[in-house]
Amino acid sequence: MDTNFLRELEAFIEFQQNNLVHADYSLYKSADILEAEVELESFIKTNRKASFQELLLSFIDESGATDPEIYKKAGLDRKHFSKIRKPTYQPSKPTVLLLILALELSLEEAEELLQAAGFALSDSDITDLVIQYCLDKAVYDIDEVNIALEHVGLRPL
């Protein structure tokens, strides 16, 4: 085992046993660990994309529609939409799909919003294929999409 790790562990235990309230572990970190942390922070800063909420609000702004117009078109209520706006909220995939249809996003934009929420459209999932087909054909009416899903024996959104 790495001796730096063991020294840091000993310092941590000693620190905790002395009942210090605010631990500053950086005092005990090796230069390698500090360098790795800086590298990680730099990587995150360089590669981080917009959050789901940021991207959703951007798409709404670009559409020229109001928030209520979009959430009503998606079949969502005001209370649910206010939760969606919070950075800690994790939407379900069907909710994201409803918003995609309400915003009338292209397939590329839809994939971007889904990815921001932690989802994807899979070519091996029939529901996702129906959604892809509808987006490709510019079918954004949720009732029509649900009819297409039911037609192939799937649950509506």
Side-chain angles (χ1 to χ4, degrees), residues 49-50 52 55 59 93 96-97 99-101 104-123 128-129 131-133 135-136 140:
K49 295 182 180 177
F52 169 76
L55 194 55
F59 281 135
K93 188 173 179 180
V96 178
L97 293 174
L99 289 165
I100 286 167
L101 294 170
E104 299 184 7
L105 298 181
S106 68
L107 183 56
E108 184 178 306
E109 293 167 327
E111 289 173 338
E112 184 180 2
L113 189 60
L114 281 161
Q115 184 181 25
F119 302 111
L121 290 173
S122 169
D123 291 341
D128 288 356
L129 288 171
I131 297 298
Q132 289 178 58
Y133 182 83
L135 292 175
D136 187 55
Y140 298 110

Side-chain angles (χ1 to χ4, degrees), residues 28-138:
Y28 306 107
K29 292 180 181 175
S30 70
D32 290 341
I33 292 173
L34 291 174
E35 185 179 326
E37 287 177 350
V38 168
E39 190 176 325
L40 175 61
E41 288 173 12
S42 175
F43 178 84
I44 291 170
K45 188 175 182 179
T46 303
N47 293 290
R48 185 181 180 273
K49 295 182 180 177
S51 70
F52 169 76
Q53 287 76 8
E54 293 166 339
L55 194 55
L56 173 64
L57 295 176
S58 171
F59 281 135
I60 292 173
D61 289 345
E62 289 173 17
S63 76
T66 64
D67 290 358
E69 288 172 332
I70 296 300
Y71 69 69
K72 286 177 183 176
K73 190 175 176 183
L76 305 173
D77 62 23
R78 182 186 54 78
K79 191 174 180 180
H80 188 180
F81 191 77
S82 68
K83 287 180 184 178
I84 290 171
R85 292 181 66 106
K86 295 180 182 178
T88 56
Y89 179 79
Q90 177 59 46
S92 67
K93 188 173 179 180
T95 297
V96 178
L97 293 174
L98 290 169
L99 289 165
I100 286 167
L101 294 170
L103 286 162
E104 299 184 7
L105 298 181
S106 68
L107 183 56
E108 184 178 306
E109 293 167 327
E111 289 173 338
E112 184 180 2
L113 189 60
L114 281 161
Q115 184 181 25
F119 302 111
L121 290 173
S122 169
D123 291 341
S124 61
D125 183 86
I126 296 174
T127 298
D128 288 356
L129 288 171
V130 171
I131 297 298
Q132 289 178 58
Y133 182 83
C134 289
L135 292 175
D136 187 55
K137 298 295 182 184

